[in-house]
Amino acid sequence: MESTFNNLLEKLHLTGGDNGGVPAKEPTEQELKELRETYTEAQQNHVLAFYDDLTVSEKAELYECLKSITPKSINDITQKALSPSQNNNEDMNLEPLPEAATASILDSKDDDIQSWYTAGLKLVAEGQVAVVLMAGGQGTRLGSSAPKGCFDIGLPSGKSLFQIQAERIWKVQQLAEKESGKKDISIPWYIMTSGPTRKATEQFFSEHKYFGLRQDDVTIFEQGVLPCVSNDGKILLESKSKVAVAPDGNGGIYQALLTSNVRTDMRKRGIEHVHAYCVDNCLVKVADPVFIGFSASKDVDIATKVVRKRSAKESVGLILQKNGKPDVVEYSELDTATAEIKDSKQPELLKFRAANIVNHYYSFRFLETIEEWVHQLPHHVARKKIPYIDTEKGESIKPDKPNGIKLEQFVFDVFPLVKLDKFACMEVKREDEFSPLKNAKGTGEDDPDTSKLDILSQGRRWVQNIGGTVESETALEETGVEVSPLVSYGGEGLDFLKTRTIKAPAVIEKEE
């Protein structure tokens, strides 16, 4: 079962469908007969309902897609996802992670933070650090069909999320060069896209000359897909010649690292430490030396950044230990009484406050074991309105209510498979490191305006902390300063502003 499942996942990690210009070839009668038998046995033979009416190229396309799917495995995955093992919440034993596995930037000693920072830069200088970006989403909620990383949140500079993050990587490389005295230090950046975003992402990076990074250090790859399934478990057709498929969730990252040969490239480069994060956080400290240094010092397989939960009612997943294993517990899984429990050592704080921000560290040695555990990761059900072809009537249907499910995995599903002593957690300041972009402009929460404001406010704090002055005659939201990552990664290197008065809004693009 394990090998069958892994083979299915590998086959479904499609990478653009380029056949190298080879003409489409219709399957032989025997090949088609065997395919029909496979799908009939799995009670999924309806997907071939229109086969005889298709053109040669359409027949070839449908055949290749259906051949890449093991319908019995899809049935098994769907059944497990729709009928997960019921763990009674009353039997959940929840505790915060052990103190030995945690640290907080909010109350750590400056010497410890500096030690982690120096150690992290050393690892960067030694070529041991890589970054994986999960960037499969489109900006649909933002009113854009482009990849979310291309989105301009309205900063004075007009920079996209991709550019901001690329420039942070460039800056860490420069800081490592300065610290070590070495030259040409690079941090490889692996960008996981989806089918709808890959081509546009590649074009965006090419047009912008990879934002100053070496092209060889930027790898764009694609996560896998899984068939969409109706509410009664039938594989849906998008058209008469196409199966309806959807990206397999951010948890598909593990299999995608294999099928895209990203892990092989990491191995060739001598990578030992990997930072992974989501594209929609404009404040993310990409390849953060402090986080890398902290995680490496703990010698863990996975570490994660968290922010302090604002209140017991905030709808966020929490990182903690569940029945003695590291895990993420969703807000909906906690009853009010549990959510409101106070920390016995710090009564002003919640006991369960480590909010998940999808910002993780992996040891490369752990990623070398993906084949051993990837088949254990569960699939989750997302009920969606999925356009499809009625295989009995041949009509295109655009449903007005959820008619099927998309199967997806979550990146944190792997946490419980890690030994507790190989898992660590670092609490960081929300205002410095977490501002997600989820909603359309004007929503007032996690939207382009809040993302812009959080960057401008951070820049203002940096200028003021160094002794500079920020003045403005406009509204509060315009009193910020955009400090380019090319100038400062985390507030360092701004001594030239110590006696300056900055008229906001302003952009600091270079030291002058």
Side-chain angles (χ1 to χ4, degrees):
M1 176 66 186
E2 176 181 338
S3 61
T4 301
F5 179 75
N6 284 340
N7 289 339
L8 166 69
L9 288 178
E10 288 180 14
K11 290 174 182 176
L12 285 175
H13 277 66
L14 309 176
T15 54
D18 183 4
N19 64 0
V22 178
K25 184 180 179 182
E26 185 176 346
T28 65
E29 286 187 17
Q30 182 61 29
E31 288 172 333
L32 182 60
K33 179 175 179 291
E34 292 174 359
L35 188 74
R36 284 189 187 276
E37 289 174 353
T38 299
Y39 276 81
T40 299
E41 184 180 346
Q43 298 184 341
Q44 297 282 9
N45 52 307
H46 62 281
V47 296
L48 287 159
F50 309 108
Y51 183 83
D52 293 337
D53 301 328
L54 303 179
T55 65
V56 171
S57 61
E58 288 173 335
K59 286 178 179 179
E61 179 183 22
L62 180 60
Y63 175 78
E64 287 301 320
C65 178
L66 293 177
K67 192 177 69 169
S68 75
I69 298 169
T70 306
K72 186 179 182 303
S73 294
I74 294 299
N75 290 347
D76 292 341
I77 291 171
T78 303
Q79 182 60 32
K80 287 181 181 179
L82 289 172
S83 306
S85 57
Q86 296 298 318
N87 291 321
N88 193 320
N89 284 358
E90 294 180 4
D91 296 332
M92 286 198 306
N93 178 17
L94 304 180
E95 291 294 336
L97 292 172
E99 287 188 18
T102 64
S104 175
I105 294 298
L106 283 69
D107 52 27
S108 290
K109 297 177 181 177
D110 290 343
D111 287 348
D112 288 338
I113 296 173
Q114 183 60 43
S115 175
W116 295 328
Y117 177 77
T118 302
L121 284 183
K122 185 172 185 290
L123 294 171
V124 171
E126 291 172 352
Q128 295 187 28
V129 176
V131 173
V132 176
L133 166 59
M134 291 171 275
Q138 294 170 286
T140 309
R141 290 187 190 176
L142 310 174
S144 169
S145 60
K148 190 178 283 188
C150 302
F151 196 79
D152 173 0
I153 60 175
L155 290 171
S157 67
K159 291 179 182 178
S160 64
L161 293 172
F162 279 143
Q163 181 169 355
I164 294 167
Q165 293 162 23
E167 290 182 353
R168 288 184 183 140
I169 290 175
W170 183 89
K171 187 61 175 179
V172 173
Q173 293 174 170
Q174 299 305 304
L175 291 169
E177 290 183 2
K178 183 177 180 181
E179 181 78 14
S180 66
K182 296 180 179 179
K183 297 295 182 184
D184 298 322
I185 290 172
S186 66
I187 300 172
W189 194 17
Y190 302 95
I191 301 170
M192 186 176 79
T193 63
S194 61
T197 63
R198 180 174 186 167
K199 186 174 181 180
T201 300
E202 291 174 334
Q203 185 176 351
F204 193 74
F205 270 80
S206 177
E207 289 174 353
H208 291 87
K209 301 186 182 343
Y210 296 85
F211 304 104
L213 300 177
R214 286 187 285 268
Q215 183 176 346
D216 289 346
D217 291 332
V218 179
T219 300
I220 296 171
F221 65 107
E222 192 172 325
Q223 70 185 102
V225 296
L226 286 170
C228 299
V229 181
S230 69
N231 288 331
D232 56 357
K234 298 297 184 182
I235 295 173
L236 293 171
L237 291 178
E238 174 187 317
S239 69
K240 292 181 179 181
S241 62
K242 284 186 178 180
V243 174
V245 297
D248 54 5
N250 58 20
I253 185 175
Y254 305 113
Q255 188 68 41
L257 291 176
L258 304 188
T259 53
S260 64
N261 292 320
V262 163
R263 189 181 66 175
T264 300
D265 188 67
M266 289 181 178
R267 188 185 302 120
K268 288 178 180 177
R269 290 173 179 262
I271 299 301
E272 297 292 341
H273 311 277
V274 179
H275 179 214
Y277 69 97
C278 284
V279 72
D280 62 4
N281 178 12
C282 69
L283 291 179
V284 62
K285 299 184 77 171
V286 190
D288 179 13
V290 174
F291 187 42
I292 299 293
F294 162 78
S295 304
S297 73
K298 293 287 186 182
D299 191 31
V300 293
D301 286 331
I302 294 180
T304 185
K305 283 189 178 185
V306 298
V307 295
R308 191 168 290 178
K309 191 177 180 182
R310 286 190 177 117
S311 71
K313 294 182 179 180
E314 185 179 7
S315 302
V316 291
L318 296 172
I319 293 179
L320 36 66
Q321 54 174 316
K322 175 182 173 182
N323 298 329
K325 299 177 180 179
D327 211 335
V328 173
V329 173
E330 296 296 346
Y331 170 72
S332 58
E333 297 180 73
L334 288 183
D335 58 61
T336 301
T338 303
E340 292 179 346
I341 296 175
K342 298 293 186 179
D343 189 323
S344 59
K345 294 183 179 180
Q346 296 176 281
E348 73 280 7
L349 301 177
L350 294 170
K351 179 179 181 179
F352 301 111
R353 58 181 181 273
N356 178 31
I357 60 173
V358 197
N359 193 321
H360 310 310
Y361 161 93
Y362 299 91
S363 70
F364 186 72
R365 70 174 176 233
F366 179 70
L367 297 181
E368 287 278 39
T369 68
I370 289 174
E371 293 91 338
E372 298 174 17
W373 46 259
V374 70
H375 63 284
Q376 299 179 47
L377 301 183
H379 287 79
H380 306 273
V381 169
R383 298 192 180 275
K384 300 287 186 178
K385 293 184 285 188
I386 305 171
Y388 69 103
I389 293 288
D390 185 322
T391 54
E392 293 184 1
K393 300 178 181 178
E395 299 175 353
S396 296
I397 307 295
K398 192 171 184 180
D400 55 8
K401 60 182 180 180
N403 64 306
I405 60 175
K406 295 182 178 180
L407 297 163
E408 58 185 5
Q409 294 179 307
F410 299 151
V411 68
F412 56 73
D413 285 332
V414 73
F415 290 2
L417 304 182
V418 178
K419 293 180 179 179
L420 197 56
D421 63 357
K422 287 296 182 181
F423 190 92
C425 180
M426 171 176 277
E427 182 185 60
V428 297
K429 294 180 180 179
R430 186 187 292 250
E431 63 268 27
D432 282 338
E433 298 204 35
F434 186 54
S435 179
L437 178 60
K438 304 287 187 186
N439 303 314
K441 185 178 177 66
T443 307
E445 182 178 357
D446 297 343
D447 70 2
D449 290 334
T450 59
S451 294
K452 177 180 73 171
L453 178 60
D454 287 341
I455 285 186
L456 296 180
S457 296
Q458 181 184 64
R460 182 180 65 245
R461 291 194 302 274
W462 288 353
V463 172
Q464 292 172 336
N465 288 343
I466 205 69
T469 302
V470 179
E471 293 182 351
S472 176
E473 297 178 356
T474 59
L476 177 62
E477 61 267 21
E478 298 297 336
T479 62
V481 178
E482 180 186 354
V483 179
S484 169
L486 302 177
V487 175
S488 181
Y489 178 81
E492 83 294 329
L494 298 177
D495 286 347
F496 67 98
L497 297 175
K498 186 171 292 185
T499 59
R500 295 267 296 276
T501 296
I502 307 295
K503 299 290 186 181
V507 183
I508 309 296
E509 276 288 1
K510 58 184 178 179
E511 184 173 338
E512 57 181 11

